[in-house]
Amino acid sequence: LEAAGFGVARKPSAYLLSMHLYEQWRTDNPLSNATVRKAMSMAIDRQKILATLYGGEGRVAACHGFVGYTLGCAQDFSPVKYDPAEARKLLADAGYSKGFNLRFYSYVSSPVDSPVVVQALANMLETTGIKVDIVPQDYSTVLAILRNAQAGNAVSMQNHANLYDMSFLYQAVYTSRGVLTVQKDPAFDALMAGLGGVKTVEDYQKAWRVIQQDIYDNNREIVIAELNALYAFSPAAIAEWNPGRLPSDLNLRGLKLK
């Protein structure tokens, strides 16, 4: 675009690319095993995904959120190391030396990059022996499957906008009574419930750090990359454009017409 004469405005770390791991509470589900989840995470070459499929527009992610912005996400979270050999060893240690069957939902409508990214992620997971069945599906149907707890050992790609406070998302996705929950862990429920009794901003930030550390340590989600959002414009009409970072900026922040 820039070579063709367009201007390009960037919203840094506008989206988080990750993988949801469903129904972790089921004892017959390999995803209930934290070692399996770690192995899957180690099988993902985040840098290759970012460079090849997104042109390097973003940065490899470690925290389930946005470093320096989302509550609890700090610079000292390190991305999970890409090591397919260690991933295979961990699967064997967990009792899955021959892998297991995994359903991977690929959304047919949104986000538009889902089929390509899902195929790349599936290929990486299969290097460990996991047998991935990619299932093209519309988002509404997947939501109904989740609400009825019928997903089994399945995953999906997620690509959501950056958030400062993950409260409403985590209540829905990570607490036992959440409508789209992937786990049922009383200890994590207690961490989320504890947010209600926090009285200072500093303590609220500290409480979120503990929550994010739990997500990170237990590989409850496979985070991949923080992605920039790009906006092309005509330099003949626009002198400068800084889209900002917040979803509430509506991408018009800093836009100066000629």
Side-chain angles (χ1 to χ4, degrees):
L1 288 172
E2 291 173 322
F6 288 93
V8 176
R10 289 173 170 81
K11 182 189 284 286
S13 298
Y15 300 98
L16 180 68
L17 178 67
S18 67
M19 286 171 55
H20 270 352
L21 312 177
Y22 295 124
E23 298 185 12
Q24 296 173 28
W25 70 84
R26 292 178 52 165
T27 56
D28 61 341
N29 184 354
L31 303 183
S32 67
N33 190 315
T35 301
V36 169
R37 299 195 298 269
K38 182 177 181 179
M40 292 172 64
S41 188
M42 296 186 76
I44 303 302
D45 188 341
R46 291 161 173 79
Q47 189 59 53
K48 187 173 184 178
I49 292 288
L50 180 62
T52 305
L53 301 181
Y54 294 98
E57 287 289 347
R59 61 183 178 185
V60 169
C63 181
H64 187 238
F66 302 85
V67 172
Y69 175 63
T70 300
L71 285 170
C73 286
Q75 295 285 353
D76 58 346
F77 281 99
S78 299
V80 174
K81 181 182 178 181
Y82 171 58
D83 190 338
E86 180 64 16
R88 289 190 290 271
K89 179 181 182 301
L90 288 176
L91 281 181
D93 291 345
Y96 296 97
S97 59
K98 296 182 180 180
F100 55 88
N101 296 323
L102 181 72
R103 190 180 302 109
F104 202 139
Y105 290 115
S106 177
Y107 300 129
V108 297
S109 53
S110 177
V112 294
D113 56 352
S114 180
V116 176
V117 180
V118 166
Q119 185 64 66
L121 294 172
N123 290 345
M124 292 175 183
L125 290 173
E126 288 188 327
T127 65
T128 68
I130 296 173
K131 304 165 188 67
V132 181
D133 178 23
I134 297 176
V135 181
Q137 192 62 270
D138 63 274
Y139 188 58
S140 60
T141 299
V142 174
L143 289 181
I145 291 171
L146 297 180
R147 291 192 183 101
N148 293 317
Q150 296 174 337
N153 52 318
V155 300
S156 71
M157 185 195 95
Q158 300 296 316
N159 192 343
H160 64 73
N162 64 18
L163 297 169
Y164 174 67
D165 189 330
M166 292 281 198
S167 296
F168 80 93
L169 178 64
Y170 280 19
Q171 289 290 350
V173 176
Y174 289 120
T175 61
S176 298
R177 299 180 64 181
V179 293
L180 302 174
T181 192
V182 300
Q183 65 176 17
K184 296 182 179 180
D185 185 339
F188 189 86
D189 292 345
L191 291 177
M192 290 297 297
L195 291 172
V198 175
K199 297 181 180 180
T200 68
V201 172
E202 181 180 1
D203 286 344
Y204 193 68
Q205 293 172 334
K206 289 179 179 179
W208 266 111
R209 172 56 196 244
V210 174
I211 290 170
Q212 289 290 359
Q213 191 72 51
D214 180 271
I215 296 287
Y216 179 83
D217 289 344
N218 292 286
N219 292 281
R220 299 184 189 274
E221 180 100 357
I222 297 179
V223 295
I224 301 168
E226 297 178 26
L227 304 175
N228 301 337
L230 307 183
Y231 306 90
F233 63 90
S234 170
I238 297 175
E240 182 181 341
W241 190 5
N242 172 15
R245 189 173 187 182
L246 305 178
S248 57
D249 288 329
L250 300 177
N251 306 323
L252 300 178
R253 175 183 173 185
L255 191 151
K256 297 180 181 178
L257 299 176
K258 285 190 174 179

